[in-house]
Amino acid sequence: MDDAQYDAQGPPRKRRRKAPTSTSSYVFRPLLEDIALAPEDYTSKVHITCIELWESNLYIGTSAAEILHYVAIPPDPADITASPSYIFASRLQPTFNQTSAASPAPGVQQILVLPKVSKACILCNGTLTFYSLPELSPAFENTVVPGCSWLGGGNQNQSDDEDEDGETVTICVKSRIRLVRIADKPQKIRNIDFPGCLAIARRDNFACVADTQAYALLDVENQQKISLFPISSLDENAAGGQVEDISFHPEASRPSSGVADSRGHGRSTSLGTFVSGIGRRSPQSRSQERSGRNTPEPGLRAASPLRPPDRPRSGSVADDTARRLSVSGKPLPPPPERTSSQMAVRNTAASFSTKMTPHICSPTPTEFLLTIGTSPEDPGVGIFVNLDGDVVRGTLQFDRYPTSVVADGNDQTAIVSATGIQQPQEGYILASTFQLKEDGHREVIEVHRWDIDNANGTEHLDVPFPFEEDNSEDIEPVLGQARLRVILSHHSTSFLEVAERLRLGRLRLPIGDQVQKTESDQVPIDAAEEKRNREEEAFGQRLGAQSSRVVLWSGSSIWWLVRNPLVLRLDGMIETAMMSWMDERQQEVDRSQISRTVSSIQEYEATTETEFLSLKYIRQKAGLILFADTLSRDPTLSSISNTELRTAENLMVDNGLDPRILVSMIPLLREEVIEGQQGIWLHNGLIGVVEEYTQVLADSGSVEGPLRHNDSVNMIKRYLVGWRQRKGFGSIADETEVFQSVDAALLHLLLYQDGQHSAKSGKPSAARAELYSLVDSGVDCFGRAVVLLEQSGRLYVLSRLYQNRKMAGKVLETWRRIINGEEDAGNELRDGENEVRKYLAKIRDINLIHEYGTWLARRNADLGVKVFADDSSRVKFQPEDVVKLLQEQAPDAVKVYLEHLVFGKKKVQYANRLITYYLDSVLQVLETSDEARSMLGQSYESYRALQPPKPTYRQFIIDNAVPVAWWQDRLRLLELLGGSHGADFSYDLDNILGRIEPFEQDLVPESIILDGRQGRHKQALRLLTHGLGDYHTAINYCLMGGASIFHPISGSLTPNETSTREDQATLFGYLLTEFLRIEDASNRVERTSELLERFGRWYDVREVLSMIPESWSVELVSGFLVSAFRRLVHDKHEGMVVKALSGAENLQVAAAFAEKCKIAGVQIEEAQ
């Protein structure tokens, strides 16, 4: 599809994917292919029989009894991924004895390289010859050993530094086993009586051997043998478990000789010619040469010496083996039913054992693995025995009896790291066998784990080179061409796949809604990025190296069998789980397989840098896929349990993957990602996953994408919150950009979630509290947060963000916008004006207080004044400054502030200003409103119409106050004029009188107060009695000596300090005169009688009697008269008592004087 078609049709719904990476434990790497094996004029089919690699020399033995010598050419050092190339050096035809060669001749059987002595031992057609390395020139004067069946058996516990005098080899001839030390010349160590040996593996003094029938365990030093079990489980004649003496007796031996073949180097010397002169060693010398591992490897069962001959073993090893297999739950499989062709093959065999080659390998210093079976076509069994001959561990089940078996791992082929340090590996058993598949018989490699009990079954690897098979169904397949061997030299293989996955690459974020880019849209790479790419490539190449010593050959080709790197195996499992999803979008990712993959490495401890990065990469990839798969699913079609959600979340948080990657995949949150100058770098193997899921989430059809589902929103939210908790961790790269992106994405997500919930339910959501908590705790993306909150119309949340940053001006400005009517989507600012007032009390910025205090005073004078009058405010203001400020900025609030000063703070010096404001307010209304004047007149009439007892006029107008400002101002005016602030309080009386004079009929209480202030008490009492009819206030006026009466009074009345009883009596006299002038006769009589009865002591009886009309009966003033007469009698009697007391006091003084005179005596004063 070209670019134009792509743009028109959009990205394809299905994408072709390459096959997933191999999940097997091993992979094949070619060593040398299509080798020209056959010599010239050779008509028979030739195949490889054995190989050995030492340093740069590759030796290949063939069925044509030849050795091909290849020399490795090192690759270009600049290309570490390149393998060495091999060039042909020579073709050698080893000497062999025609009489001892089997028919058909097997060709070259074994190549044993001895690096320490630079020698090679070659077994060809039953004849052993010796050569010098590396060119394979004849050694030891063309010495040959005919009749040899096996070569090897070196001590596998021996390190390279031991046995400095040479190397010990084991030569198996027809009747015995010979231990020979190869140095400057061969030297016999000892002979062991064990004829027909076909295989041997040695650990110190103990060797496991096999002949054509059975296996046995030898004590090389003590010359003892324990028979184990037969190779064929159908061989009932073989017995095991018996300890035998296998000491070699010279008289029973027969020297062997033969005629050498005329080919090769023409050698015809027998080993007996140079070992015949070697006498039997003394027991002392033999004991000195004994060596062994007395202390087993940690974690393995300790090796113990073999039992002496006089200690019989209870039962045979075969019986013990059968018993162990039965207990372990892994009995030997019964012989399967055979087809006619298989029966024909079986009948052609001379015996079961001759069809099955014994295999011995030693995976640990104290254990041997032996293979048994029924026939080559039937399954085989691998049994582990220890140095006591006891069966240990479980058994290994082979699909077919193997043609070769090697051990890899543990102490066999430890991996060599780049630092040169050997790293432990898992333990594997590799076996070559075959399987019947759809396309015919195929040779395979079976891979078994032996070092753990919970191995994941057997793996099968198809041999790359198919073997030949006949078209006839009744002909047995050609077996035996595929062979495995552990060679001397390590080979390091570089896996580019590892480097491509583990190295870091820069993630290119989509531009806007455009996810896929054409070539013209590619962002140019700058020099810094190019340099880092080179560094990452170099670093990645270091990680892909894998060392191996296991080779496989089949036909004319040789391969390395290399451990599949951990990252490739695990990644292959994950890719397999994704295959259905990649091909069909409708299918889902196999989440359970991905979870199992992650669980399999939960307890894995990385020992190398590559393993550490591999585990990190796998956890990141698994978490990313699980997380993105959750977002991409439609919950109406497929549900995911809470446990799976939490697993994905925890994996994403713990794996350390840059959170910006996930955020960039979500269309709604993509703009919140901040790349920074360096960009976003992640493992290169994750980039494809990110791009794929980014496309999937973008195809959802809306910008919300996966956020349409509440579970997805909550999962992303918890993930981002988890990342916010990691702030301050020093191990996070690009910390600034990461947490800015996280905070911005979380803020955007909470705004989206709260907005969606509020739009549907009309109520605040639980996300609102989280939103408040986020902005209150502070965000790193302050600038972006302001933009998001402005765009979403969340002004109140924006103000909280400003509060966290101590930006008082921005806080007040935002609140003012809300109070002035700008839309706040959340409608969250309750009682905004009061919030402004409280906030102004907390700040110290005088300019802000002036600006927003006066603004608030213009809107709400009461609250605005509190800003300047609050004693708890951090900034204190002088009243004069406040009054001046309010007069300029908020004139309507001046009166309120003065009221606070006068009534709240008792600052009477501001009372005149306040009175002026009150007068202005009241008089302005009366001048312009007849209704207001009518209201006042009606209040007088209503009050006068009330029958006693009735409240005072002030209380009446308070209780019946009209909800208008001027009415309240008048009440405060009466309070100030009435002397609420004490007698010392004075105001400009003349000015006030002049202003209210036009309204005397309307402002009666004000006139009364002003008359009292001027001493015009008669006029004041007249207005109280007749103008208002407030008799109670009139009496109080007299009692207080004409002091203030129209102000709130709590407790008892306080008379004027300057008034006397005579002043009060005068005022009461004025009041009696006014009461006697009340127009209503009954009211006049009642008010006068009550006044005289209650306050008669302030009246003279004669004056009262002269003022009372003649028409009144005595009964009306009887109460006054009785109290007056009693008071007169009381005064008379009191005067008499006082007079008597004064007389007595006079007599006392006179007596005292006389007594003092008597004491003083007579004194005569002469006249001068």
Side-chain angles (χ1 to χ4, degrees):
M1 182 183 297
D2 57 18
D3 293 344
Q5 291 175 328
Y6 183 91
D7 294 338
Q9 300 177 12
R13 294 297 300 174
K14 298 180 181 179
R15 299 179 181 275
R16 299 180 60 87
R17 295 295 185 210
K18 64 179 181 180
T21 305
S22 173
T23 60
S24 60
S25 300
Y26 286 84
V27 293
F28 298 99
R29 290 291 184 269
L31 190 156
L32 194 59
E33 295 180 303
D34 298 329
I35 307 171
L37 299 177
E40 295 181 0
D41 302 330
Y42 197 87
T43 59
S44 300
K45 189 72 174 180
V46 179
H47 61 271
I48 300 174
T49 57
C50 59
I51 70 169
E52 185 59 87
L53 177 65
W54 173 65
E55 294 180 350
S56 61
N57 299 278
L58 175 62
Y59 305 105
I60 303 174
T62 70
S63 58
E66 290 184 332
I67 293 180
L68 308 182
H69 180 198
Y70 285 82
V71 177
I73 303 300
D76 183 3
D79 185 6
I80 65 172
T81 62
S83 299
S85 59
Y86 290 86
I87 60 173
F88 181 75
S90 63
R91 185 186 298 268
L92 172 68
Q93 297 176 337
T95 301
F96 62 90
N97 191 333
Q98 295 284 3
T99 60
S100 63
S103 178
V108 178
Q109 298 167 268
Q110 287 180 270
I111 302 174
L112 178 63
V113 174
L114 307 175
K116 292 177 60 176
V117 294
S118 297
K119 295 294 187 293
C121 305
I122 297 178
L123 178 61
C124 179
N125 290 331
T127 301
L128 174 64
T129 53
F130 302 88
Y131 299 91
S132 298
L133 298 177
E135 69 281 356
L136 297 183
S137 59
F140 305 138
E141 300 177 355
N142 295 330
T143 300
V144 299
V145 181
C148 183
S149 60
W150 182 261
L151 172 66
N155 183 7
Q156 296 184 31
N157 286 348
Q158 191 175 45
S159 65
D160 294 339
D161 296 332
E162 298 179 8
D163 196 11
E164 297 181 356
D165 295 337
E167 293 195 37
T168 302
V169 297
T170 304
I171 303 173
C172 302
V173 294
K174 291 183 178 180
S175 59
R176 68 187 66 86
I177 298 174
R178 291 177 177 175
L179 266 65
V180 178
R181 178 176 289 109
I182 304 297
D184 294 336
K185 62 180 181 178
Q187 181 182 7
K188 186 185 78 172
I189 300 177
R190 68 174 57 85
N191 291 334
I192 301 174
D193 188 9
F194 189 85
C197 180
L198 297 180
I200 183 170
R202 179 185 167 193
R203 292 285 187 178
D204 291 333
N205 294 332
F206 303 97
C208 185
V209 297
D211 55 16
T212 59
Q213 299 292 327
Y215 295 98
L217 191 63
L218 305 182
D219 184 342
V220 177
E221 198 71 23
N222 297 317
Q223 301 284 297
Q224 294 177 350
K225 179 186 77 172
I226 295 179
S227 299
L228 296 178
F229 34 77
I231 300 172
S232 172
S233 58
L234 300 180
D235 188 357
E236 299 178 354
N237 297 324
Q242 299 179 354
V243 180
E244 305 175 20
D245 186 359
I246 55 174
S247 301
F248 177 73
H249 303 285
E251 61 274 10
S253 63
R254 296 288 184 268
S256 59
S257 62
V259 179
D261 194 342
S262 59
R263 300 187 308 159
H265 298 282
R267 294 163 294 192
S268 60
T269 303
S270 173
L271 183 65
T273 59
F274 66 86
V275 298
S276 58
I278 303 175
R280 181 181 299 273
R281 300 187 178 205
S282 65
Q284 180 179 3
S285 62
R286 189 164 59 245
S287 63
Q288 290 176 350
E289 292 181 0
R290 295 177 184 175
S291 63
R293 291 176 62 92
N294 296 326
T295 303
E297 182 179 354
L300 301 177
R301 182 174 176 179
S304 59
L306 293 176
R307 295 175 176 84
D310 57 351
R311 289 187 60 185
R313 295 170 61 91
S314 60
S316 66
V317 174
D319 296 338
D320 181 64
T321 302
R323 182 171 59 255
R324 289 177 180 271
L325 296 179
S326 176
V327 172
S328 64
K330 295 182 179 180
L332 292 175
E337 297 182 0
R338 302 180 181 275
T339 63
S340 59
S341 62
Q342 290 174 331
M343 292 298 297
V345 172
R346 169 184 287 271
N347 293 333
T348 60
S351 66
F352 296 112
S353 59
T354 58
K355 285 289 184 179
M356 295 184 297
T357 303
H359 301 296
I360 305 173
C361 61
S362 180
T364 72
T366 59
E367 292 175 311
F368 299 100
L369 173 68
L370 317 176
T371 59
I372 63 174
T374 57
S375 75
E377 299 81 15
D378 293 331
V381 178
I383 301 176
F384 292 90
V385 297
N386 61 14
L387 299 182
D388 289 330
D390 297 330
V391 177
V392 293
R393 303 184 183 275
T395 60
L396 300 182
Q397 303 290 337
F398 302 105
D399 294 344
R400 295 288 188 274
Y401 188 84
T403 58
S404 61
V405 178
V406 296
D408 183 32
N410 202 289
D411 72 325
Q412 290 295 314
T413 53
I415 187 171
V416 180
S417 65
T419 59
I421 302 176
Q422 288 191 343
Q423 303 291 344
Q425 284 187 297
E426 303 94 336
Y428 286 93
I429 297 296
L430 307 177
S432 59
T433 179
F434 73 96
Q435 283 184 334
L436 181 60
K437 298 188 177 182
E438 296 179 356
D439 57 347
H441 288 87
R442 291 294 304 272
E443 284 190 313
V444 296
I445 304 299
E446 289 190 22
V447 182
H448 298 264
R449 283 292 298 271
W450 61 264
D451 56 341
I452 56 176
D453 295 332
N454 58 343
N456 299 323
T458 303
E459 300 179 33
H460 294 84
L461 307 178
D462 290 338
V463 175
F465 187 83
F467 59 86
E468 297 179 356
E469 58 179 271
D470 196 286
N471 294 329
S472 175
E473 297 180 355
D474 298 330
I475 301 301
E476 179 184 7
V478 180
L479 301 178
Q481 291 193 13
R483 286 290 191 273
L484 294 167
R485 175 175 172 79
V486 178
I487 60 176
L488 285 175
S489 300
H490 286 272
H491 171 73
S492 180
T493 302
S494 295
F495 286 82
L496 286 178
E497 300 91 335
V498 175
E500 284 301 310
R501 283 166 170 78
L502 297 185
R503 76 175 183 88
L504 299 184
R506 183 172 181 177
L507 177 65
R508 296 294 180 183
L509 297 182
I511 302 175
D513 296 333
Q514 182 183 359
V515 178
Q516 301 288 340
K517 298 186 179 73
T518 62
E519 293 182 0
S520 60
D521 294 328
Q522 293 296 332
V523 179
I525 300 177
D526 56 19
E529 182 177 347
E530 185 177 357
K531 177 182 177 182
R532 181 164 182 181
N533 281 331
R534 291 194 301 268
E535 294 174 350
E536 291 296 338
E537 289 177 0
F539 174 75
Q541 291 173 355
R542 264 195 318 117
L543 303 176
Q546 198 76 6
S547 180
S548 176
R549 290 175 53 201
V550 180
V551 294
L552 165 72
W553 66 86
S554 179
S556 61
S557 298
I558 307 172
W559 297 270
W560 290 105
L561 205 56
V562 187
R563 291 283 182 96
N564 195 12
L566 176 66
V567 65
L568 297 185
R569 286 182 298 176
L570 298 175
D571 202 21
M573 298 177 186
I574 295 177
E575 290 178 1
T576 301
M578 293 182 64
M579 282 303 294
S580 60
W581 176 84
M582 289 178 176
D583 293 335
E584 297 289 342
R585 290 288 176 83
Q586 293 79 7
Q587 299 187 23
E588 299 174 350
V589 170
D590 189 350
R591 300 176 66 92
S592 60
Q593 179 174 337
I594 295 178
S595 298
R596 289 193 299 270
T597 302
V598 176
S599 299
S600 66
I601 60 174
Q602 198 69 30
E603 303 298 330
Y604 196 101
E605 294 185 4
T607 57
T608 64
E609 182 182 24
T610 302
E611 287 186 352
F612 175 80
L613 294 176
S614 299
L615 297 178
K616 178 183 175 183
Y617 165 80
I618 292 300
R619 292 189 178 101
Q620 289 183 352
K621 185 170 185 177
L624 180 62
I625 294 173
L626 293 177
F627 206 93
D629 176 66
T630 303
L631 299 181
S632 63
R633 292 197 184 194
D634 187 347
T636 60
L637 302 177
S638 175
S639 61
I640 300 176
S641 65
N642 291 331
T643 302
E644 290 179 318
L645 288 177
R646 293 293 183 181
T647 300
E649 294 171 25
N650 296 335
L651 190 58
M652 281 297 293
V653 173
D654 296 339
N655 63 22
L657 183 66
D658 193 326
R660 296 176 293 175
I661 298 170
L662 178 64
V663 174
S664 69
M665 297 165 59
I666 303 172
L668 183 66
L669 306 180
R670 186 175 300 147
E671 294 182 358
E672 313 310 329
V673 176
I674 301 176
E675 289 191 78
Q677 295 181 352
Q678 297 182 354
I680 300 175
W681 293 76
L682 70 162
H683 289 297
N684 198 58
L686 301 179
I687 295 179
V689 178
V690 174
E691 293 175 347
E692 186 69 33
Y693 272 107
T694 300
Q695 179 65 59
V696 172
L697 298 178
D699 288 346
S700 58
S702 65
V703 70
E704 291 86 358
L707 303 183
R708 291 173 296 179
H709 313 299
N710 195 50
D711 289 342
S712 298
V713 174
N714 290 331
M715 183 179 67
I716 299 173
K717 181 173 62 178
R718 289 190 294 267
Y719 168 71
L720 294 175
V721 170
W723 258 97
R724 288 194 84 241
Q725 296 173 353
R726 304 178 68 177
K727 285 188 178 181
F729 288 15
S731 59
I732 299 176
D734 301 329
E735 182 178 10
T736 301
E737 291 80 8
V738 166
F739 289 112
Q740 285 181 359
S741 301
V742 168
D743 287 351
L746 181 58
L747 177 61
H748 198 160
L749 191 65
L750 291 174
L751 288 172
Y752 171 81
Q753 188 179 30
D754 183 47
Q756 292 292 314
H757 183 276
S758 300
K760 294 178 181 179
S761 64
K763 299 179 181 179
S765 66
R768 183 164 296 185
E770 299 174 351
L771 179 61
Y772 290 164
S773 176
L774 174 64
V775 297
D776 291 345
S777 61
V779 293
D780 293 350
C781 58
F782 178 75
R784 178 58 181 169
V786 172
V787 174
L788 286 174
L789 294 172
E790 288 281 6
Q791 290 177 348
S792 59
R794 303 300 294 272
L795 298 182
Y796 176 71
V797 182
L798 177 61
S799 70
R800 298 184 71 132
L801 179 65
Y802 287 139
Q803 288 186 63
N804 175 262
R805 289 295 184 103
K806 308 299 182 183
M807 302 174 66
K810 289 293 185 180
V811 175
L812 295 169
E813 179 185 356
T814 306
W815 283 350
R816 180 166 62 182
R817 291 167 57 188
I818 299 174
I819 296 171
N820 286 340
E822 189 170 342
E823 182 181 3
D824 180 24
N827 194 23
E828 300 152 275
L829 183 61
R830 307 294 183 181
D831 193 9
E833 294 178 349
N834 193 44
E835 289 295 325
V836 172
R837 179 195 65 81
K838 291 189 292 186
Y839 190 75
L840 288 174
K842 299 176 182 178
I843 63 176
R844 299 180 181 273
D845 193 326
I846 296 178
N847 295 329
L848 289 177
I849 297 175
H850 284 175
E851 179 182 356
Y852 288 95
T854 55
W855 168 80
L856 184 60
R858 289 193 294 271
R859 290 185 56 89
N860 188 328
D862 292 334
L863 286 177
V865 167
K866 289 181 179 180
V867 172
F868 303 99
D870 192 352
D871 291 334
S872 62
S873 177
R874 293 190 175 185
V875 179
K876 310 299 182 183
F877 295 93
Q878 295 298 322
E880 287 293 340
D881 298 334
V882 176
V883 171
K884 183 178 179 181
L885 178 64
L886 293 177
Q887 285 176 343
E888 297 175 356
Q889 303 293 333
D892 294 339
V894 176
K895 179 187 68 174
V896 180
Y897 183 69
L898 292 175
E899 287 176 344
H900 165 74
L901 294 177
V902 175
F903 295 105
K905 298 296 185 179
K906 306 301 180 182
K907 295 183 178 296
V908 296
Q909 63 268 32
Y910 299 99
N912 275 319
R913 295 187 186 180
L914 186 57
I915 291 174
T916 300
Y917 273 97
Y918 288 151
L919 281 175
D920 292 341
S921 175
V922 174
L923 295 181
Q924 184 179 3
V925 173
L926 294 179
E927 288 175 353
T928 58
S929 175
D930 295 336
E931 182 183 358
R933 300 176 71 173
S934 175
M935 288 173 59
L936 290 176
Q938 187 177 358
S939 68
Y940 301 148
E941 293 177 2
S942 299
Y943 182 76
R944 285 194 297 266
L946 294 177
Q947 295 297 323
K950 59 183 179 180
T952 63
Y953 178 74
R954 174 171 177 78
Q955 188 62 43
F956 173 77
I957 60 177
I958 292 175
D959 294 340
N960 298 275
V962 181
V964 290
W966 69 268
W967 189 276
Q968 301 297 327
D969 291 343
R970 182 175 177 242
L971 294 178
R972 287 295 183 95
L973 176 62
L974 290 175
E975 186 177 344
L976 288 177
L977 294 178
S980 60
H981 289 74
D984 294 336
F985 170 61
S986 62
Y987 43 81
D988 191 351
L989 186 60
D990 295 335
N991 179 48
I992 296 173
L993 285 172
R995 296 190 62 182
I996 69 171
E997 184 177 358
F999 306 97
E1000 287 184 351
Q1001 300 301 321
D1002 300 314
L1003 301 177
V1004 176
E1006 289 81 354
S1007 299
I1008 294 172
I1009 295 174
L1010 295 177
D1011 286 339
R1013 282 280 182 170
Q1014 297 176 86
R1016 298 169 57 183
H1017 301 301
K1018 287 183 178 182
Q1019 180 66 19
L1021 290 173
R1022 183 179 300 112
L1023 291 174
L1024 282 171
T1025 304
H1026 305 291
L1028 293 178
D1030 188 357
Y1031 310 119
H1032 182 73
T1033 301
I1035 293 173
N1036 289 337
Y1037 185 89
C1038 296
L1039 289 174
M1040 299 184 68
S1044 176
I1045 55 174
F1046 288 101
H1047 59 83
I1049 299 175
S1050 60
S1052 59
L1053 296 175
T1054 302
N1056 192 347
E1057 295 179 359
T1058 61
S1059 64
T1060 61
R1061 186 176 180 79
E1062 289 76 11
D1063 295 334
Q1064 293 175 347
T1066 301
L1067 294 177
F1068 273 113
Y1070 297 154
L1071 182 58
L1072 178 59
T1073 301
E1074 297 303 327
F1075 276 10
L1076 291 174
R1077 294 176 180 174
I1078 296 175
E1079 294 181 1
D1080 188 346
S1082 60
N1083 191 21
R1084 180 172 62 250
V1085 172
E1086 184 178 355
R1087 296 300 101 208
T1088 303
S1089 299
E1090 181 185 3
L1091 177 64
L1092 292 175
E1093 185 175 355
R1094 292 178 58 194
F1095 302 99
R1097 55 182 175 176
W1098 272 276
Y1099 292 98
D1100 185 81
V1101 177
R1102 288 190 298 269
E1103 291 181 0
V1104 172
L1105 292 176
S1106 63
M1107 295 174 63
I1108 294 176
E1110 295 290 340
S1111 59
W1112 286 20
S1113 63
V1114 176
E1115 184 178 1
L1116 293 176
V1117 293
S1118 59
F1120 168 71
L1121 294 176
V1122 171
S1123 62
F1125 289 151
R1126 285 178 178 174
R1127 189 167 56 256
L1128 291 174
V1129 174
H1130 176 271
D1131 291 342
K1132 178 180 179 182
H1133 290 167
E1134 184 180 359
M1136 293 175 62
V1137 172
V1138 171
K1139 182 178 180 182
L1141 290 175
S1142 298
E1145 184 181 6
N1146 186 36
L1147 289 176
Q1148 289 179 352
V1149 172
F1153 179 74
E1155 184 66 27
K1156 288 184 178 181
C1157 289
K1158 183 178 179 180
I1159 293 173
V1162 180
Q1163 293 183 358
I1164 300 174
E1165 295 182 358
E1166 296 181 355
Q1168 295 181 354

